[in-house]
Amino acid sequence: MRAAVIGAIASAFAPAAMASSHREAPFVTQSPKVDGTDFYMFRSYESGRANFVTLIANYIPLQDAYGGPNYFAMDPNALYEIHIDNNGDAKEDLTFQFRFTNTNKDTKLTVGGKQVSIPLVINGGAIAGPNAAGANVRETYTVNVVRGDRRTGAKAAVTNAADGTSTFDKPLDNIGNKSIPNYAAYAAAHVYSVNIPGCSTPARMFVGQRKDPFVVNLGETFDLVNIKAPATEFSANAEKAAKDDLADKNVTSIEIEVAASCLTATGSSDPVIGGWTTASVRQARLLNPTPNTSTASKEGGAWTQVSRLGMPLVNEVVIGLKDKDTFNSSKPSGDAQFATYVTNPTLPALIEILYGSAGAKAPTNFPRNDLVAAFLTGVKGLNQPATVVASEMLRLNTSTPAVAMGAQNRLGVIGGDNAGFPNGRRPGDDVVDIALRVVMGKLCTLNLGCAPADAPAGGLHFTDGAYLDDSYFTAAFPYLKTPIAGSPQTSGVTSARSKP
């Protein structure tokens, strides 16, 4: 009987798999190009950039570096967006909209007197810069900033500060060292200084493949949550006991670094902003029975949102399976429909069933006001806006000073570092360990929304054993590491995850 119960619990818990938002809902698994995997929003900690906020929206999960011949272009029929709410009403006030275009240059070789199209994205010569002659495919994008409602608000183009153009090149994925001998320099050539209409300070922007920054012990989670039981004492060995199952994966990043003053509300003294990313596709699609490169399908109708991501792990371990697709199509202003998943969460109860013998007792305070603060309103005195409409999004107090790389605490706020998660999210914040501890009552031990007596396991050191801190990243924009190369082959992935 116990085996059957554990199996049922594992089947409920494992699909979420703590993989941030990698394949988190049934419908979006059918469309990986619009699957948002992680969203980051933090005060820039690069030297000299203290007045900026970096926004990173990652898409297309579980990219194998060797995934040719087509690799991982973004969807030209989709709309990718990053939204900012700067007055606390759970509605977007500022939206950055990204659209992509893929151009097949159709390079041909003369074979037996005939011109024949080649099958590869590289036409035979190594490449080093944007739109290189050796690239057989060119991927470009445009960006609009929308003020007010994302569909009806005033829209204006983001432009290149160097030449005033509004079309930007996205680098090819890291095919391999022969095709792109110095990928780091090649990618750096695609970092643009840009002008945002309505903002007097130039921003920086990069869109391209990166090493997946998320770290998680994925396989053992699937195996009946086969991770170490929580301990009463801190153990560095326990927090590093498992391997990162995403260590050999890449992801595609949309990154923009904007002056904080351009994100907060004009004329307001409130420094708190909320942010989330979405992807939408057209409502209708007609498949072409005789397709070619540019006419495989015809898209039309209204934009329909299919992916949403603000706080990490929400749609994975908070939202019930039956509502995961609904959540992905929803807006923060409609989050009252999901409130019970936060006030009466199932994850702590599942953990108690699996690890109750190790003292992992679920918190007893209902409603879970500590989780409401963390996920829906922001924590008072930390990142709660002056006006509060309960809604799920990542919230950042832009007046909290950034903490330099090397001094950041991987556990963010519960580790004593108020510049970290859930006050925004930095790449080096280990949100899996943080989330496990928070859902089991860590905030109660700090008297935030509940009392220590409400959380018998609030002081336990929950961990999935896959370690992450700020040393796994770089100290400058775009922060995320160079993606793993598809070639040459290596005997392992240790070097890919090694610290810079």
Side-chain angles (χ1 to χ4, degrees):
M1 178 65 179
R2 176 172 171 76
V5 171
I6 291 178
I9 294 300
S11 66
F13 183 51
M18 289 294 188
S20 200
S21 283
H22 300 60
R23 295 172 52 82
E24 84 289 350
F27 181 76
V28 81
T29 62
Q30 304 174 39
S31 303
K33 286 181 179 289
V34 290
D35 186 356
T37 67
D38 284 285
F39 179 62
Y40 301 88
M41 182 169 67
F42 56 94
R43 283 285 298 271
S44 297
Y45 51 87
E46 177 181 346
S47 177
R49 306 292 290 185
N51 294 324
F52 289 81
V53 171
T54 297
L55 308 169
I56 303 176
N58 289 341
Y59 282 87
I60 313 181
L62 307 178
Q63 296 180 20
D64 291 317
Y66 48 80
N70 292 301
Y71 297 94
F72 303 97
M74 299 290 270
D75 187 350
N77 294 310
L79 176 65
Y80 300 86
E81 297 175 295
I82 296 175
H83 311 278
I84 299 295
D85 168 23
N86 57 26
N87 60 13
D89 66 354
K91 299 177 181 178
E92 68 274 7
D93 299 295
L94 193 67
T95 297
F96 297 97
Q97 296 182 334
F98 293 76
R99 293 294 310 276
F100 292 85
T101 299
N102 301 325
T103 303
N104 178 3
K105 297 180 181 179
D106 196 22
T107 302
K108 295 180 173 67
L109 296 179
T110 302
V111 182
K114 294 184 177 182
Q115 291 285 294
V116 183
S117 299
I118 70 170
L120 305 176
V121 299
I122 298 290
N123 67 21
I127 63 175
N131 192 27
N136 191 29
V137 173
R138 184 185 187 190
E139 188 172 7
T140 59
Y141 62 98
T142 58
V143 188
N144 284 318
V145 60
V146 182
R147 298 186 183 276
D149 183 273
R150 58 179 172 169
R151 298 293 175 259
T152 62
K155 181 184 299 185
V158 172
T159 57
N160 192 327
D163 57 19
T165 58
S166 58
T167 298
F168 303 90
D169 275 280
K170 172 180 172 291
L172 295 174
D173 293 342
N174 197 355
I175 297 167
N177 297 345
K178 187 175 182 180
S179 297
I180 310 174
N182 186 342
Y183 194 88
Y186 169 68
H190 294 80
V191 174
Y192 297 97
S193 176
V194 298
N195 291 323
I196 299 173
C199 182
S200 60
T201 306
R204 287 193 294 187
M205 186 167 66
F206 171 81
V207 177
Q209 191 180 53
R210 297 280 89 187
K211 169 68 193 74
D212 193 327
F214 195 67
V215 168
V216 64
N217 175 11
L218 193 60
E220 290 186 339
T221 302
F222 273 102
D223 182 26
L224 298 183
V225 197
N226 188 21
I227 60 177
K228 291 186 178 296
T232 56
E233 301 291 335
F234 167 76
S235 170
N237 290 333
E239 294 187 351
K240 300 179 180 180
K243 72 181 183 71
D244 168 24
D245 286 326
L246 301 181
D248 60 348
K249 304 299 180 185
N250 293 326
V251 75
T252 300
S253 297
I254 297 173
E255 305 197 28
I256 186 165
E257 184 192 49
V258 185
S261 59
C262 294
L263 298 176
T264 54
T266 302
S268 172
S269 60
D270 189 354
V272 177
I273 59 174
W276 68 100
T277 182
T278 63
S280 301
V281 295
R282 292 297 186 182
Q283 196 170 37
R285 171 177 293 178
L286 294 175
L287 299 182
N288 188 344
T290 56
N292 59 39
T293 301
S294 59
T295 61
S297 65
K298 181 68 174 178
E299 322 288 324
W303 288 115
T304 303
Q305 183 180 304
V306 295
S307 179
R308 171 188 168 186
L309 176 60
M311 295 280 284
L313 304 169
V314 169
N315 207 7
E316 294 66 42
V317 297
V318 178
I319 304 298
L321 182 61
K322 72 181 182 67
D323 285 327
K324 289 184 181 295
D325 289 332
T326 302
F327 179 84
N328 266 350
S329 67
S330 67
K331 298 179 179 180
S333 57
D335 280 348
Q337 64 185 307
F338 307 116
T340 299
Y341 288 124
V342 178
T343 59
N344 298 73
T346 58
L347 179 59
L350 301 179
I351 291 175
E352 179 174 336
I353 290 174
L354 290 166
Y355 293 110
S357 61
K361 304 297 184 182
T364 57
N365 55 305
F366 299 105
R368 287 290 301 276
N369 290 325
D370 53 328
L371 298 187
V372 170
F375 288 100
L376 300 182
T377 66
V379 178
K380 190 172 183 178
L382 176 71
N383 65 341
Q384 187 178 100
T387 299
V388 181
V389 174
S391 52
E392 189 281 307
M393 63 180 74
L394 200 58
R395 290 179 172 85
L396 173 68
N397 187 332
T398 61
S399 69
T400 304
V403 174
M405 179 176 166
Q408 297 174 14
N409 190 296
R410 59 184 290 271
L411 297 178
V413 172
I414 65 172
D417 181 355
N418 284 350
F421 182 77
N423 186 19
R425 180 188 177 189
R426 302 168 300 197
D429 292 335
D430 193 338
V431 295
V432 174
D433 283 8
I434 297 170
L436 282 170
R437 298 179 195 194
V438 168
V439 299
M440 293 304 290
K442 178 63 178 179
L443 297 185
C444 296
T445 69
L446 305 175
N447 289 295
L448 295 175
C450 47
D454 296 323
L460 296 185
H461 293 267
F462 290 88
T463 180
D464 72 329
Y467 187 82
L468 176 70
D469 67 15
D470 62 351
S471 66
Y472 286 91
F473 304 93
T474 67
F477 186 85
Y479 294 103
L480 308 188
K481 291 181 65 176
T482 298
I484 299 168
S487 165
Q489 293 183 356
T490 60
S491 58
V493 296
T494 303
S495 61
R497 281 307 299 179
S498 60
K499 301 176 182 179

